[in-house]
Amino acid sequence: MPQMRPLDPAFPIERQLAVDAEAVVLVNLFTLDTADEESFLKAWQDDAAIMKRQPGFISTQLHRALGDSPAYLNYAVWESTAAFRTAFANPEFRAKLSAYPASAVASPHLFRKVAVPDICVA
């Protein structure tokens, strides 16, 4: 299971899951040892396949940092925190977390879109 390190220690993922919101985005930054990239990618693929089948899942995309940095960013869109909360508690998903390499550190955080006039819509 990856170690969990919140992006915002004052408001970790466990607290975010209690907030009811529609149209949420999970941003999850993973850091790991370079030697573990192959096993990380396999573990991520397996758990993403489980999440993809869950009600309320919309999409996901994995990004790798440039250069020699073995950092990865996962961006996943969900219909609501309720849908993500249910998927996050799914026993099949939880069981797959043990496949992540020991060096993996996950920093998940939920976000909502923000409207900025003349720039972006919410």
Side-chain angles (χ1 to χ4, degrees), residues 16-50:
Q16 295 165 45
L17 290 172
V19 177
D20 286 323
E22 301 296 315
V24 297
V25 174
L26 169 71
V27 173
N28 197 354
L29 176 64
F30 293 93
T31 57
L32 54 132
D33 293 341
T34 303
D36 290 333
E37 284 189 87
E38 188 175 321
S39 60
F40 164 79
L41 289 170
K42 175 65 174 135
W44 185 87
Q45 181 181 15
D46 290 347
D47 82 40
I50 293 167

PDB file of all heavy atoms in Angstrom, residues 16-50:
ATOM      1  N   GLN A  16     -11.957  15.258   3.490  1.00  0.00           N
ATOM      2  CA  GLN A  16     -12.554  15.674   2.223  1.00  0.00           C
ATOM      3  C   GLN A  16     -13.699  14.760   1.811  1.00  0.00           C
ATOM      4  O   GLN A  16     -14.691  15.214   1.230  1.00  0.00           O
ATOM      5  CB  GLN A  16     -11.487  15.681   1.126  1.00  0.00           C
ATOM      6  CG  GLN A  16     -10.390  16.693   1.343  1.00  0.00           C
ATOM      7  CD  GLN A  16      -9.218  16.398   0.454  1.00  0.00           C
ATOM      8  OE1 GLN A  16      -9.386  16.119  -0.730  1.00  0.00           O
ATOM      9  NE2 GLN A  16      -8.021  16.451   0.999  1.00  0.00           N
ATOM     10  N   LEU A  17     -13.566  13.474   2.111  1.00  0.00           N
ATOM     11  CA  LEU A  17     -14.595  12.508   1.743  1.00  0.00           C
ATOM     12  C   LEU A  17     -15.930  12.789   2.424  1.00  0.00           C
ATOM     13  O   LEU A  17     -16.981  12.355   1.939  1.00  0.00           O
ATOM     14  CB  LEU A  17     -14.126  11.094   2.069  1.00  0.00           C
ATOM     15  CG  LEU A  17     -13.001  10.559   1.189  1.00  0.00           C
ATOM     16  CD1 LEU A  17     -12.480   9.240   1.733  1.00  0.00           C
ATOM     17  CD2 LEU A  17     -13.450  10.420  -0.255  1.00  0.00           C
ATOM     18  N   ALA A  18     -15.914  13.529   3.522  1.00  0.00           N
ATOM     19  CA  ALA A  18     -17.140  13.846   4.244  1.00  0.00           C
ATOM     20  C   ALA A  18     -17.879  15.048   3.657  1.00  0.00           C
ATOM     21  O   ALA A  18     -19.015  15.323   4.039  1.00  0.00           O
ATOM     22  CB  ALA A  18     -16.822  14.106   5.715  1.00  0.00           C
ATOM     23  N   VAL A  19     -17.257  15.761   2.735  1.00  0.00           N
ATOM     24  CA  VAL A  19     -17.875  16.942   2.123  1.00  0.00           C
ATOM     25  C   VAL A  19     -18.651  16.507   0.888  1.00  0.00           C
ATOM     26  O   VAL A  19     -18.084  15.923  -0.030  1.00  0.00           O
ATOM     27  CB  VAL A  19     -16.796  17.983   1.722  1.00  0.00           C
ATOM     28  CG1 VAL A  19     -17.440  19.166   1.015  1.00  0.00           C
ATOM     29  CG2 VAL A  19     -15.993  18.420   2.937  1.00  0.00           C
ATOM     30  N   ASP A  20     -19.950  16.781   0.882  1.00  0.00           N
ATOM     31  CA  ASP A  20     -20.760  16.427  -0.279  1.00  0.00           C
ATOM     32  C   ASP A  20     -20.627  17.507  -1.343  1.00  0.00           C
ATOM     33  O   ASP A  20     -20.891  18.685  -1.089  1.00  0.00           O
ATOM     34  CB  ASP A  20     -22.230  16.248   0.118  1.00  0.00           C
ATOM     35  CG  ASP A  20     -22.450  14.946   0.876  1.00  0.00           C
ATOM     36  OD1 ASP A  20     -21.790  13.940   0.528  1.00  0.00           O
ATOM     37  OD2 ASP A  20     -23.270  14.929   1.804  1.00  0.00           O
ATOM     38  N   ALA A  21     -20.193  17.111  -2.521  1.00  0.00           N
ATOM     39  CA  ALA A  21     -20.030  18.039  -3.643  1.00  0.00           C
ATOM     40  C   ALA A  21     -20.252  17.278  -4.938  1.00  0.00           C
ATOM     41  O   ALA A  21     -20.014  16.075  -5.014  1.00  0.00           O
ATOM     42  CB  ALA A  21     -18.640  18.655  -3.614  1.00  0.00           C
ATOM     43  N   GLU A  22     -20.700  17.987  -5.922  1.00  0.00           N
ATOM     44  CA  GLU A  22     -20.890  17.426  -7.255  1.00  0.00           C
ATOM     45  C   GLU A  22     -19.675  17.760  -8.116  1.00  0.00           C
ATOM     46  O   GLU A  22     -18.968  18.732  -7.853  1.00  0.00           O
ATOM     47  CB  GLU A  22     -22.154  18.000  -7.897  1.00  0.00           C
ATOM     48  CG  GLU A  22     -23.427  17.726  -7.095  1.00  0.00           C
ATOM     49  CD  GLU A  22     -23.765  16.252  -6.982  1.00  0.00           C
ATOM     50  OE1 GLU A  22     -23.686  15.546  -8.011  1.00  0.00           O
ATOM     51  OE2 GLU A  22     -24.097  15.797  -5.877  1.00  0.00           O
ATOM     52  N   ALA A  23     -19.457  16.973  -9.139  1.00  0.00           N
ATOM     53  CA  ALA A  23     -18.397  17.215 -10.132  1.00  0.00           C
ATOM     54  C   ALA A  23     -17.065  17.518  -9.457  1.00  0.00           C
ATOM     55  O   ALA A  23     -16.607  18.657  -9.418  1.00  0.00           O
ATOM     56  CB  ALA A  23     -18.798  18.346 -11.075  1.00  0.00           C
ATOM     57  N   VAL A  24     -16.451  16.484  -8.905  1.00  0.00           N
ATOM     58  CA  VAL A  24     -15.169  16.661  -8.227  1.00  0.00           C
ATOM     59  C   VAL A  24     -14.036  16.047  -9.047  1.00  0.00           C
ATOM     60  O   VAL A  24     -14.247  15.152  -9.865  1.00  0.00           O
ATOM     61  CB  VAL A  24     -15.174  16.063  -6.800  1.00  0.00           C
ATOM     62  CG1 VAL A  24     -16.182  16.781  -5.921  1.00  0.00           C
ATOM     63  CG2 VAL A  24     -15.428  14.570  -6.819  1.00  0.00           C
ATOM     64  N   VAL A  25     -12.853  16.571  -8.801  1.00  0.00           N
ATOM     65  CA  VAL A  25     -11.650  16.084  -9.461  1.00  0.00           C
ATOM     66  C   VAL A  25     -10.686  15.607  -8.380  1.00  0.00           C
ATOM     67  O   VAL A  25     -10.389  16.345  -7.439  1.00  0.00           O
ATOM     68  CB  VAL A  25     -10.990  17.203 -10.299  1.00  0.00           C
ATOM     69  CG1 VAL A  25      -9.661  16.737 -10.865  1.00  0.00           C
ATOM     70  CG2 VAL A  25     -11.927  17.652 -11.406  1.00  0.00           C
ATOM     71  N   LEU A  26     -10.242  14.375  -8.523  1.00  0.00           N
ATOM     72  CA  LEU A  26      -9.197  13.846  -7.650  1.00  0.00           C
ATOM     73  C   LEU A  26      -7.859  14.139  -8.313  1.00  0.00           C
ATOM     74  O   LEU A  26      -7.644  13.773  -9.472  1.00  0.00           O
ATOM     75  CB  LEU A  26      -9.346  12.338  -7.470  1.00  0.00           C
ATOM     76  CG  LEU A  26      -8.149  11.649  -6.796  1.00  0.00           C
ATOM     77  CD1 LEU A  26      -8.090  12.010  -5.324  1.00  0.00           C
ATOM     78  CD2 LEU A  26      -8.194  10.158  -7.005  1.00  0.00           C
ATOM     79  N   VAL A  27      -6.981  14.798  -7.586  1.00  0.00           N
ATOM     80  CA  VAL A  27      -5.603  14.985  -8.026  1.00  0.00           C
ATOM     81  C   VAL A  27      -4.760  14.198  -7.035  1.00  0.00           C
ATOM     82  O   VAL A  27      -4.866  14.386  -5.820  1.00  0.00           O
ATOM     83  CB  VAL A  27      -5.205  16.475  -8.040  1.00  0.00           C
ATOM     84  CG1 VAL A  27      -3.729  16.631  -8.323  1.00  0.00           C
ATOM     85  CG2 VAL A  27      -6.038  17.226  -9.064  1.00  0.00           C
ATOM     86  N   ASN A  28      -3.955  13.286  -7.560  1.00  0.00           N
ATOM     87  CA  ASN A  28      -3.148  12.435  -6.695  1.00  0.00           C
ATOM     88  C   ASN A  28      -1.707  12.463  -7.201  1.00  0.00           C
ATOM     89  O   ASN A  28      -1.427  11.988  -8.300  1.00  0.00           O
ATOM     90  CB  ASN A  28      -3.698  11.008  -6.685  1.00  0.00           C
ATOM     91  CG  ASN A  28      -3.191  10.190  -5.523  1.00  0.00           C
ATOM     92  OD1 ASN A  28      -2.342  10.623  -4.755  1.00  0.00           O
ATOM     93  ND2 ASN A  28      -3.720   8.991  -5.390  1.00  0.00           N
ATOM     94  N   LEU A  29      -0.827  13.028  -6.401  1.00  0.00           N
ATOM     95  CA  LEU A  29       0.591  13.075  -6.736  1.00  0.00           C
ATOM     96  C   LEU A  29       1.274  11.877  -6.109  1.00  0.00           C
ATOM     97  O   LEU A  29       1.140  11.638  -4.909  1.00  0.00           O
ATOM     98  CB  LEU A  29       1.218  14.371  -6.210  1.00  0.00           C
ATOM     99  CG  LEU A  29       2.728  14.502  -6.413  1.00  0.00           C
ATOM    100  CD1 LEU A  29       3.070  14.546  -7.900  1.00  0.00           C
ATOM    101  CD2 LEU A  29       3.242  15.737  -5.701  1.00  0.00           C
ATOM    102  N   PHE A  30       1.974  11.106  -6.932  1.00  0.00           N
ATOM    103  CA  PHE A  30       2.728   9.951  -6.458  1.00  0.00           C
ATOM    104  C   PHE A  30       4.214  10.234  -6.598  1.00  0.00           C
ATOM    105  O   PHE A  30       4.665  10.684  -7.647  1.00  0.00           O
ATOM    106  CB  PHE A  30       2.422   8.701  -7.299  1.00  0.00           C
ATOM    107  CG  PHE A  30       1.035   8.171  -7.163  1.00  0.00           C
ATOM    108  CD1 PHE A  30       0.035   8.561  -8.045  1.00  0.00           C
ATOM    109  CD2 PHE A  30       0.718   7.256  -6.167  1.00  0.00           C
ATOM    110  CE1 PHE A  30      -1.241   8.059  -7.949  1.00  0.00           C
ATOM    111  CE2 PHE A  30      -0.565   6.743  -6.055  1.00  0.00           C
ATOM    112  CZ  PHE A  30      -1.547   7.149  -6.950  1.00  0.00           C
ATOM    113  N   THR A  31       4.968   9.944  -5.563  1.00  0.00           N
ATOM    114  CA  THR A  31       6.423   9.956  -5.651  1.00  0.00           C
ATOM    115  C   THR A  31       6.899   8.551  -5.315  1.00  0.00           C
ATOM    116  O   THR A  31       6.258   7.830  -4.541  1.00  0.00           O
ATOM    117  CB  THR A  31       7.052  10.988  -4.692  1.00  0.00           C
ATOM    118  OG1 THR A  31       6.623  10.715  -3.360  1.00  0.00           O
ATOM    119  CG2 THR A  31       6.654  12.413  -5.078  1.00  0.00           C
ATOM    120  N   LEU A  32       8.014   8.143  -5.933  1.00  0.00           N
ATOM    121  CA  LEU A  32       8.519   6.790  -5.730  1.00  0.00           C
ATOM    122  C   LEU A  32       9.961   6.706  -6.195  1.00  0.00           C
ATOM    123  O   LEU A  32      10.469   7.637  -6.826  1.00  0.00           O
ATOM    124  CB  LEU A  32       7.656   5.768  -6.477  1.00  0.00           C
ATOM    125  CG  LEU A  32       7.457   6.013  -7.970  1.00  0.00           C
ATOM    126  CD1 LEU A  32       7.715   4.754  -8.762  1.00  0.00           C
ATOM    127  CD2 LEU A  32       6.023   6.485  -8.184  1.00  0.00           C
ATOM    128  N   ASP A  33      10.593   5.607  -5.887  1.00  0.00           N
ATOM    129  CA  ASP A  33      11.947   5.355  -6.361  1.00  0.00           C
ATOM    130  C   ASP A  33      11.904   4.988  -7.842  1.00  0.00           C
ATOM    131  O   ASP A  33      10.999   4.266  -8.289  1.00  0.00           O
ATOM    132  CB  ASP A  33      12.602   4.215  -5.582  1.00  0.00           C
ATOM    133  CG  ASP A  33      12.863   4.562  -4.126  1.00  0.00           C
ATOM    134  OD1 ASP A  33      12.887   5.768  -3.786  1.00  0.00           O
ATOM    135  OD2 ASP A  33      13.041   3.615  -3.322  1.00  0.00           O
ATOM    136  N   THR A  34      12.890   5.438  -8.596  1.00  0.00           N
ATOM    137  CA  THR A  34      12.964   5.148 -10.028  1.00  0.00           C
ATOM    138  C   THR A  34      12.894   3.642 -10.296  1.00  0.00           C
ATOM    139  O   THR A  34      12.248   3.209 -11.241  1.00  0.00           O
ATOM    140  CB  THR A  34      14.254   5.742 -10.619  1.00  0.00           C
ATOM    141  OG1 THR A  34      14.271   7.140 -10.360  1.00  0.00           O
ATOM    142  CG2 THR A  34      14.346   5.511 -12.107  1.00  0.00           C
ATOM    143  N   ALA A  35      13.542   2.855  -9.467  1.00  0.00           N
ATOM    144  CA  ALA A  35      13.561   1.401  -9.663  1.00  0.00           C
ATOM    145  C   ALA A  35      12.171   0.774  -9.560  1.00  0.00           C
ATOM    146  O   ALA A  35      11.955  -0.339 -10.044  1.00  0.00           O
ATOM    147  CB  ALA A  35      14.492   0.752  -8.636  1.00  0.00           C
ATOM    148  N   ASP A  36      11.216   1.494  -8.966  1.00  0.00           N
ATOM    149  CA  ASP A  36       9.869   0.950  -8.754  1.00  0.00           C
ATOM    150  C   ASP A  36       8.843   1.413  -9.790  1.00  0.00           C
ATOM    151  O   ASP A  36       7.661   1.127  -9.653  1.00  0.00           O
ATOM    152  CB  ASP A  36       9.371   1.334  -7.351  1.00  0.00           C
ATOM    153  CG  ASP A  36      10.115   0.611  -6.251  1.00  0.00           C
ATOM    154  OD1 ASP A  36      10.623  -0.503  -6.500  1.00  0.00           O
ATOM    155  OD2 ASP A  36      10.194   1.159  -5.133  1.00  0.00           O
ATOM    156  N   GLU A  37       9.289   2.113 -10.826  1.00  0.00           N
ATOM    157  CA  GLU A  37       8.324   2.658 -11.787  1.00  0.00           C
ATOM    158  C   GLU A  37       7.495   1.577 -12.476  1.00  0.00           C
ATOM    159  O   GLU A  37       6.284   1.732 -12.626  1.00  0.00           O
ATOM    160  CB  GLU A  37       9.027   3.537 -12.824  1.00  0.00           C
ATOM    161  CG  GLU A  37       9.413   4.887 -12.244  1.00  0.00           C
ATOM    162  CD  GLU A  37       9.913   5.842 -13.295  1.00  0.00           C
ATOM    163  OE1 GLU A  37       9.076   6.533 -13.913  1.00  0.00           O
ATOM    164  OE2 GLU A  37      11.141   5.882 -13.502  1.00  0.00           O
ATOM    165  N   GLU A  38       8.117   0.500 -12.897  1.00  0.00           N
ATOM    166  CA  GLU A  38       7.376  -0.548 -13.594  1.00  0.00           C
ATOM    167  C   GLU A  38       6.293  -1.160 -12.701  1.00  0.00           C
ATOM    168  O   GLU A  38       5.149  -1.330 -13.123  1.00  0.00           O
ATOM    169  CB  GLU A  38       8.326  -1.632 -14.096  1.00  0.00           C
ATOM    170  CG  GLU A  38       7.654  -2.645 -14.998  1.00  0.00           C
ATOM    171  CD  GLU A  38       8.639  -3.644 -15.580  1.00  0.00           C
ATOM    172  OE1 GLU A  38       9.761  -3.254 -15.939  1.00  0.00           O
ATOM    173  OE2 GLU A  38       8.265  -4.827 -15.675  1.00  0.00           O
ATOM    174  N   SER A  39       6.643  -1.473 -11.460  1.00  0.00           N
ATOM    175  CA  SER A  39       5.643  -2.064 -10.558  1.00  0.00           C
ATOM    176  C   SER A  39       4.578  -1.036 -10.179  1.00  0.00           C
ATOM    177  O   SER A  39       3.403  -1.389 -10.005  1.00  0.00           O
ATOM    178  CB  SER A  39       6.294  -2.673  -9.318  1.00  0.00           C
ATOM    179  OG  SER A  39       6.995  -1.704  -8.583  1.00  0.00           O
ATOM    180  N   PHE A  40       4.959   0.228 -10.073  1.00  0.00           N
ATOM    181  CA  PHE A  40       3.979   1.280  -9.803  1.00  0.00           C
ATOM    182  C   PHE A  40       2.964   1.358 -10.944  1.00  0.00           C
ATOM    183  O   PHE A  40       1.754   1.407 -10.713  1.00  0.00           O
ATOM    184  CB  PHE A  40       4.664   2.648  -9.637  1.00  0.00           C
ATOM    185  CG  PHE A  40       3.696   3.792  -9.732  1.00  0.00           C
ATOM    186  CD1 PHE A  40       2.893   4.127  -8.651  1.00  0.00           C
ATOM    187  CD2 PHE A  40       3.553   4.505 -10.918  1.00  0.00           C
ATOM    188  CE1 PHE A  40       1.957   5.163  -8.756  1.00  0.00           C
ATOM    189  CE2 PHE A  40       2.635   5.540 -11.028  1.00  0.00           C
ATOM    190  CZ  PHE A  40       1.838   5.871  -9.936  1.00  0.00           C
ATOM    191  N   LEU A  41       3.451   1.386 -12.182  1.00  0.00           N
ATOM    192  CA  LEU A  41       2.553   1.501 -13.331  1.00  0.00           C
ATOM    193  C   LEU A  41       1.585   0.321 -13.414  1.00  0.00           C
ATOM    194  O   LEU A  41       0.407   0.498 -13.738  1.00  0.00           O
ATOM    195  CB  LEU A  41       3.350   1.642 -14.624  1.00  0.00           C
ATOM    196  CG  LEU A  41       4.047   2.993 -14.787  1.00  0.00           C
ATOM    197  CD1 LEU A  41       5.012   2.951 -15.965  1.00  0.00           C
ATOM    198  CD2 LEU A  41       3.033   4.111 -14.949  1.00  0.00           C
ATOM    199  N   LYS A  42       2.049  -0.869 -13.106  1.00  0.00           N
ATOM    200  CA  LYS A  42       1.175  -2.042 -13.109  1.00  0.00           C
ATOM    201  C   LYS A  42       0.117  -1.916 -12.015  1.00  0.00           C
ATOM    202  O   LYS A  42      -1.074  -2.162 -12.251  1.00  0.00           O
ATOM    203  CB  LYS A  42       2.010  -3.321 -12.924  1.00  0.00           C
ATOM    204  CG  LYS A  42       1.188  -4.584 -12.793  1.00  0.00           C
ATOM    205  CD  LYS A  42       0.421  -4.916 -14.057  1.00  0.00           C
ATOM    206  CE  LYS A  42      -0.266  -6.267 -13.919  1.00  0.00           C
ATOM    207  NZ  LYS A  42      -1.644  -6.240 -14.386  1.00  0.00           N
ATOM    208  N   ALA A  43       0.527  -1.512 -10.814  1.00  0.00           N
ATOM    209  CA  ALA A  43      -0.426  -1.357  -9.705  1.00  0.00           C
ATOM    210  C   ALA A  43      -1.453  -0.276 -10.024  1.00  0.00           C
ATOM    211  O   ALA A  43      -2.657  -0.458  -9.786  1.00  0.00           O
ATOM    212  CB  ALA A  43       0.319  -1.033  -8.415  1.00  0.00           C
ATOM    213  N   TRP A  44      -0.985   0.849 -10.577  1.00  0.00           N
ATOM    214  CA  TRP A  44      -1.904   1.944 -10.908  1.00  0.00           C
ATOM    215  C   TRP A  44      -2.895   1.485 -11.982  1.00  0.00           C
ATOM    216  O   TRP A  44      -4.088   1.762 -11.886  1.00  0.00           O
ATOM    217  CB  TRP A  44      -1.143   3.183 -11.387  1.00  0.00           C
ATOM    218  CG  TRP A  44      -2.074   4.337 -11.598  1.00  0.00           C
ATOM    219  CD1 TRP A  44      -2.481   5.244 -10.667  1.00  0.00           C
ATOM    220  CD2 TRP A  44      -2.765   4.675 -12.809  1.00  0.00           C
ATOM    221  NE1 TRP A  44      -3.374   6.126 -11.228  1.00  0.00           N
ATOM    222  CE2 TRP A  44      -3.562   5.797 -12.544  1.00  0.00           C
ATOM    223  CE3 TRP A  44      -2.776   4.128 -14.093  1.00  0.00           C
ATOM    224  CZ2 TRP A  44      -4.366   6.394 -13.514  1.00  0.00           C
ATOM    225  CZ3 TRP A  44      -3.586   4.723 -15.059  1.00  0.00           C
ATOM    226  CH2 TRP A  44      -4.358   5.845 -14.767  1.00  0.00           C
ATOM    227  N   GLN A  45      -2.416   0.789 -12.987  1.00  0.00           N
ATOM    228  CA  GLN A  45      -3.293   0.300 -14.050  1.00  0.00           C
ATOM    229  C   GLN A  45      -4.372  -0.614 -13.493  1.00  0.00           C
ATOM    230  O   GLN A  45      -5.550  -0.501 -13.855  1.00  0.00           O
ATOM    231  CB  GLN A  45      -2.477  -0.437 -15.102  1.00  0.00           C
ATOM    232  CG  GLN A  45      -3.300  -0.967 -16.259  1.00  0.00           C
ATOM    233  CD  GLN A  45      -2.448  -1.704 -17.277  1.00  0.00           C
ATOM    234  OE1 GLN A  45      -1.300  -2.061 -17.022  1.00  0.00           O
ATOM    235  NE2 GLN A  45      -3.000  -1.927 -18.443  1.00  0.00           N
ATOM    236  N   ASP A  46      -3.987  -1.502 -12.588  1.00  0.00           N
ATOM    237  CA  ASP A  46      -4.955  -2.437 -12.002  1.00  0.00           C
ATOM    238  C   ASP A  46      -6.001  -1.709 -11.168  1.00  0.00           C
ATOM    239  O   ASP A  46      -7.191  -2.001 -11.262  1.00  0.00           O
ATOM    240  CB  ASP A  46      -4.241  -3.488 -11.153  1.00  0.00           C
ATOM    241  CG  ASP A  46      -3.441  -4.476 -11.983  1.00  0.00           C
ATOM    242  OD1 ASP A  46      -3.620  -4.518 -13.227  1.00  0.00           O
ATOM    243  OD2 ASP A  46      -2.613  -5.200 -11.387  1.00  0.00           O
ATOM    244  N   ASP A  47      -5.570  -0.740 -10.324  1.00  0.00           N
ATOM    245  CA  ASP A  47      -6.577  -0.070  -9.505  1.00  0.00           C
ATOM    246  C   ASP A  47      -7.407   0.912 -10.334  1.00  0.00           C
ATOM    247  O   ASP A  47      -8.589   1.103 -10.077  1.00  0.00           O
ATOM    248  CB  ASP A  47      -6.004   0.514  -8.212  1.00  0.00           C
ATOM    249  CG  ASP A  47      -5.336   1.851  -8.311  1.00  0.00           C
ATOM    250  OD1 ASP A  47      -5.816   2.730  -9.024  1.00  0.00           O
ATOM    251  OD2 ASP A  47      -4.337   2.057  -7.602  1.00  0.00           O
ATOM    252  N   ALA A  48      -6.823   1.503 -11.375  1.00  0.00           N
ATOM    253  CA  ALA A  48      -7.603   2.378 -12.254  1.00  0.00           C
ATOM    254  C   ALA A  48      -8.679   1.590 -13.000  1.00  0.00           C
ATOM    255  O   ALA A  48      -9.792   2.088 -13.215  1.00  0.00           O
ATOM    256  CB  ALA A  48      -6.683   3.098 -13.233  1.00  0.00           C
ATOM    257  N   ALA A  49      -8.379   0.358 -13.377  1.00  0.00           N
ATOM    258  CA  ALA A  49      -9.372  -0.484 -14.050  1.00  0.00           C
ATOM    259  C   ALA A  49     -10.562  -0.764 -13.135  1.00  0.00           C
ATOM    260  O   ALA A  49     -11.714  -0.801 -13.591  1.00  0.00           O
ATOM    261  CB  ALA A  49      -8.731  -1.788 -14.517  1.00  0.00           C
ATOM    262  N   ILE A  50     -10.293  -0.934 -11.852  1.00  0.00           N
ATOM    263  CA  ILE A  50     -11.383  -1.134 -10.880  1.00  0.00           C
ATOM    264  C   ILE A  50     -12.197   0.143 -10.759  1.00  0.00           C
ATOM    265  O   ILE A  50     -13.430   0.126 -10.815  1.00  0.00           O
ATOM    266  CB  ILE A  50     -10.813  -1.556  -9.506  1.00  0.00           C
ATOM    267  CG1 ILE A  50     -10.179  -2.931  -9.609  1.00  0.00           C
ATOM    268  CG2 ILE A  50     -11.909  -1.524  -8.433  1.00  0.00           C
ATOM    269  CD1 ILE A  50      -9.311  -3.305  -8.415  1.00  0.00           C
TER     270      ILE A  50
END
